[in-house]
Amino acid sequence: LGVHLYLFIALPYMTGEGFTSVRPWIAWYVFFCGYFTLSAFQIQAGYPRLKTDSIILRTYNYFTYGIYLGYLGFPFLWELEVLINWVCTETTLTLDYWIKYSDIKCYLFKLKCWQVTYESSEKKHKVGKPFIRTQFSSPRKK
């Protein structure tokens, strides 16, 4: 709505020329309408669901967490993978947003590994009352 008001009312009022008499305005308006029409088709069709192709990122435990930390320890390997994934994936994200997306995915993988290993260790070792609390928490008798 703002673009239409600007092109059809504000610009002709400020310059004294009609919209149809200035060809760059017409070209920009046609480009603008085409761009938003294609964007609307893309949103209507839906974005493809991204699938993780990495075998390591499908399971969560100490072993995969250690392998992933080793992978992240190599200089520029993660950045190279992010760049190659961005180039080979059909996406509307710019490179900096793709890096942020990949960083969030990396962080969530680490958190999921910690969560799963914590839950599995909690099930193995039932958490009860601490020794100090059970032995020394009785009130003193005077």
Side-chain angles (χ1 to χ4, degrees), residues 27-122:
W28 186 85
Y29 185 71
V30 168
F31 175 77
F32 176 81
C33 289
Y35 173 77
F36 279 104
T37 302
L38 292 175
S39 296
F41 285 141
Q42 185 178 21
I43 292 170
Q44 181 183 12
Y47 291 105
R49 188 164 177 88
L50 290 175
K51 296 180 182 177
T52 304
D53 295 328
S54 176
I55 296 172
I56 295 174
L57 298 180
R58 292 182 188 163
T59 57
Y60 306 102
N61 55 34
Y62 280 128
F63 180 69
T64 54
Y65 181 71
I67 289 176
Y68 196 64
L69 286 181
Y71 159 74
L72 292 175
F74 281 101
F76 303 112
L77 191 60
W78 181 79
E79 290 83 358
L80 182 64
E81 182 203 6
V82 169
L83 182 64
I84 290 172
N85 285 342
W86 179 71
V87 169
C88 296
T89 304
E90 294 180 14
T91 182
T92 56
L93 296 176
T94 58
L95 181 59
D96 57 337
Y97 284 111
W98 188 263
I99 291 171
K100 288 178 187 177
Y101 163 74
S102 298
D103 190 39
I104 290 169
K105 191 169 69 169
C106 173
Y107 182 70
L108 290 176
F109 174 75
K110 290 185 210 177
L111 285 180
K112 184 70 175 178
C113 283
W114 278 107
Q115 177 188 9
V116 168
T117 53
Y118 176 75
E119 288 173 354
S120 66
S121 67
E122 189 176 75

Side-chain angles (χ1 to χ4, degrees), residues 138-142:
S138 59
R140 293 184 183 176
K141 294 182 181 180
K142 293 183 181 181

Side-chain angles (χ1 to χ4, degrees), residues 7 11 17-31:
L7 280 177
L11 270 178
E17 298 181 31
F19 174 77
T20 56
S21 64
V22 182
R23 290 185 189 260
W25 293 355
I26 296 171
W28 186 85
Y29 185 71
V30 168
F31 175 77

